[in-house]
Amino acid sequence: MSLRVAVQMDPLETINIAGDSSFALMLAAQARGHSVMHYDVRTLAYESGRLTAWATPVTVQRVLGSHFDRDDHRRIDLVKDVDVVLMRQDPPFDLSYITATHLLERLEGQTLVVNDPASVRNAPEKVFVLDFAQFMPPTLVARRIEDVRDFHARHPGDLVMKPLHGNGGKAVVRIPADGSNLGALIELFDNAWVEPHMFQPFLPDIALGDKRIVLVDGAVAGAINRRPGEGEFRSNLAQGGYAEATTLTAREDEICAALGPALRERGLVFVGIDVIGGQWLTEINVTSPTGIVAIDRFNGTDTPGLIWEAIERRHKALAA
């Protein structure tokens, strides 16, 4: 079954083909006989029940400096010309991102969108995870400094402060046990973001790594352990962390078993969760998860193939 696939993502010129998950998915789509188009989210247009985008057919190859070829741009109808939309542009998860999910949601029942846009909108990484608080470290989402000081008094020691809708470890900061920089950081965050911020006790186990576990249609596909680089406490690969092979703990198996049905029900086909110290769930990444290239490199697996098998099953069920 050949599918017509439109990939909504950032410019192809900017990606790192060595580790980019969207690029790996495009390569796998081609290998399975699917045709691939690329479009920028900013070109979406809706009129009289019709959703279109300004797209270009592409072919991709793992050749540094020449990793894609494109045809001429054209307007495509995301129902008539497309079977599957991959929503893969990177955050920030802002009003532009949210508006795109509202537009793509109008394709429901006609064109398969992965991940499901309504579920992506309703499941931002650091908010959806609150549904599984039994697996999380103590967590506060707040903006008032009085609330933060009260939380800190009940959880003495260093704190970690994160933007609620951040990504890639950006602007994640460590607050020392004496709270000496808390006021200044609250002021800084309040000026940068209108939403509340997330606070958690610093987990020393981060030195042992932050595990990225990928689930495909609710089932575990693989995992890597990400360790902080020298002089860093953040383990994100984008922040200088490095990956190593790993296996799952019993607690992590329990976490995945609890999440799986909820992810399948919501149409969240490709999800990456983050677990610290083998036991603390910190994020559920649904917007543009990464990590599959490193997982496959360590494990000899084919995670893009698993993702496309899940997409093909869902498309077949939609078309029936």
Side-chain angles (χ1 to χ4, degrees):
M1 173 179 57
S2 178
L3 298 176
R4 299 165 299 171
V5 179
V7 185
Q8 175 179 298
M9 63 179 287
D10 298 327
L12 286 169
E13 292 86 350
T14 66
I15 63 174
N16 174 10
I17 66 171
D20 189 90
S21 294
S22 300
F23 184 73
L25 286 169
M26 295 170 79
L27 282 172
Q30 285 182 177
R32 300 174 79 87
H34 305 322
S35 61
V36 179
M37 294 171 280
H38 169 273
Y39 72 90
D40 188 306
V41 65
R42 294 172 296 181
T43 71
L44 283 175
Y46 178 84
E47 182 182 1
S48 302
R50 182 175 180 233
L51 185 61
T52 63
W54 193 243
T56 176
V58 297
T59 56
V60 293
Q61 53 273 335
R62 199 174 289 283
V63 178
L64 190 63
S66 182
H67 59 274
F68 72 96
D69 296 299
R70 63 160 52 106
D71 206 339
D72 295 332
H73 280 84
R74 63 197 68 176
R75 186 178 303 280
I76 61 170
D77 185 306
L78 293 183
V79 172
K80 294 180 180 179
D81 302 323
V82 176
D83 299 305
V84 176
V85 171
L86 284 186
M87 187 168 58
R88 290 290 306 171
Q89 91 266 15
D90 291 336
F93 189 79
D94 54 15
L95 277 176
S96 173
Y97 211 113
I98 290 170
T99 301
T101 68
H102 280 295
L103 293 174
L104 290 173
E105 190 179 3
R106 297 179 180 275
L107 301 176
E108 184 178 6
Q110 304 173 91
T111 300
L112 178 65
V113 183
V114 177
N115 286 323
D116 179 85
S119 293
V120 167
R121 182 176 66 248
N122 294 331
E125 275 78 349
K126 296 182 184 68
V127 178
F128 182 31
V129 70
L130 300 176
D131 287 358
F132 303 91
Q134 69 270 31
F135 301 117
M136 297 180 67
T139 299
L140 171 70
V141 177
R143 192 174 176 88
R144 295 176 68 250
I145 192 168
E146 293 85 357
D147 294 325
V148 182
R149 292 198 189 282
D150 175 69
F151 178 79
H152 197 190
R154 288 181 284 111
H155 301 283
D158 291 6
L159 287 181
V160 172
M161 182 177 183
K162 311 174 186 179
L164 195 60
H165 297 304
N167 70 296
K170 299 183 185 73
V172 176
V173 296
R174 183 172 173 179
I175 298 168
D178 64 7
S180 56
N181 60 349
L182 178 59
L185 286 171
I186 291 281
E187 291 172 4
L188 181 64
F189 273 52
D190 283 355
N191 285 328
W193 294 284
V194 297
E195 64 269 18
H197 324 301
M198 178 172 275
F199 301 85
Q200 294 171 329
F202 174 74
L203 301 174
D205 282 349
I206 190 63
L208 303 177
D210 175 8
K211 203 168 293 184
R212 164 56 57 91
I213 306 170
V214 167
L215 295 97
V216 176
D217 226 4
V220 175
I224 52 171
N225 194 46
R226 303 173 299 184
R227 288 183 180 265
E230 185 176 354
E232 263 286 356
F233 74 93
R234 298 174 295 178
S235 59
N236 307 74
L237 301 185
Q239 304 301 331
Y242 63 94
E244 60 185 13
T246 191
T247 56
L248 300 192
T249 65
R251 171 74 163 182
E252 288 164 340
D253 283 331
E254 181 186 1
I255 292 170
C256 293
L259 266 61
L263 301 179
R264 285 192 297 272
E265 180 183 347
R266 289 167 169 80
L268 296 170
V269 175
F270 177 13
V271 173
I273 70 171
D274 297 337
V275 181
I276 292 177
Q279 62 176 327
W280 298 115
L281 176 66
T282 58
E283 291 191 18
I284 303 174
N285 297 274
V286 304
T287 49
S288 183
T290 61
I292 59 177
V293 175
I295 286 172
D296 290 344
R297 183 170 68 248
F298 284 114
N299 299 339
T301 47
D302 179 18
T303 306
L306 292 177
I307 293 169
W308 279 109
E309 287 174 9
I311 291 171
E312 289 161 5
R313 286 195 302 269
R314 284 184 175 263
H315 179 267
K316 185 177 180 179
L318 177 64

